[in-house]
Amino acid sequence: MMNNQELYQIAFIAVNHKKLRNLGTAGHVACALETMNGNVFTGICIDLPCSIGLCAEQSAIAEMVKHNETAIKKIIAVFEDGSILPPCGRCREFIAQMDDQNSQTKIVLPEMKEVLLQDLLPERWDSKWN
Ligand SMILES: [Zn+2]
């Protein structure tokens, strides 16, 4: 299993802030996740006008699913200034609905603190955590 610092470095390397047309931006947040199988995927955020876009976590998860995996061992998101960002509520739910095993996903928080997803979302609306 990758340690938090290794996963952080992979995410930070993926940060690549770019300006898009009409005040859109991308890549100022990047995410790295390690799957339960030990594979690592990255993604970047995209922010377009009218609140269209997606978080880096969702982008990394899409890449993971493209490779036929859904269970996440550990996930981290890094802002362009190097700070670690906790996942927003939508991303927490996105991770939860991806796979039942993701109750045990380790979320890396600022100062490399780790918390399980089930502790961030203790009361499920759809089904109880296993
Ligand atoms: Zn998010």
Side-chain angles (χ1 to χ4, degrees):
M1 175 162 48
M2 304 202 87
N3 68 40
N4 293 350
Q5 191 63 40
E6 291 168 326
L7 205 58
Y8 173 91
Q9 285 300 329
I10 291 168
F12 192 59
I13 287 168
V15 171
N16 181 11
H17 192 172
K18 47 195 112 221
K19 296 193 184 314
L20 306 173
R21 70 175 292 275
N22 199 18
L23 300 177
T25 62
H28 45 288
V29 179
C31 170
L33 66 82
E34 181 182 13
T35 68
M36 295 291 185
N37 291 337
N39 295 310
V40 175
F41 298 104
T42 62
I44 60 168
C45 68
I46 299 174
D47 289 325
L48 300 174
C50 301
S51 301
I52 299 172
L54 74 165
C55 295
E57 293 93 327
Q58 294 160 41
S59 177
I61 289 166
E63 187 68 12
M64 170 185 73
V65 174
K66 188 177 89 179
H67 289 83
N68 303 312
E69 292 192 69
T70 54
I72 302 168
K73 188 183 302 176
K74 185 181 287 190
I75 188 166
I76 187 170
V78 180
F79 187 57
E80 61 186 338
D81 69 0
S83 61
I84 298 170
L85 299 177
C88 74
R90 187 165 188 261
C91 283
R92 294 175 194 195
E93 188 62 32
F94 201 81
I95 296 165
Q97 292 191 36
M98 197 58 52
D99 194 298
D100 283 337
Q101 294 179 74
N102 289 347
S103 64
Q104 301 305 304
T105 298
K106 292 178 178 161
I107 311 289
V108 183
L109 298 173
E111 300 174 13
M112 298 295 179
K113 179 182 173 190
E114 278 184 14
V115 63
L116 295 179
L117 182 63
Q118 70 180 6
D119 295 329
L120 294 178
L121 292 174
E123 299 294 331
R124 296 295 306 150
W125 63 271
D126 52 354
S127 60
K128 294 207 177 298
W129 290 115
N130 294 329

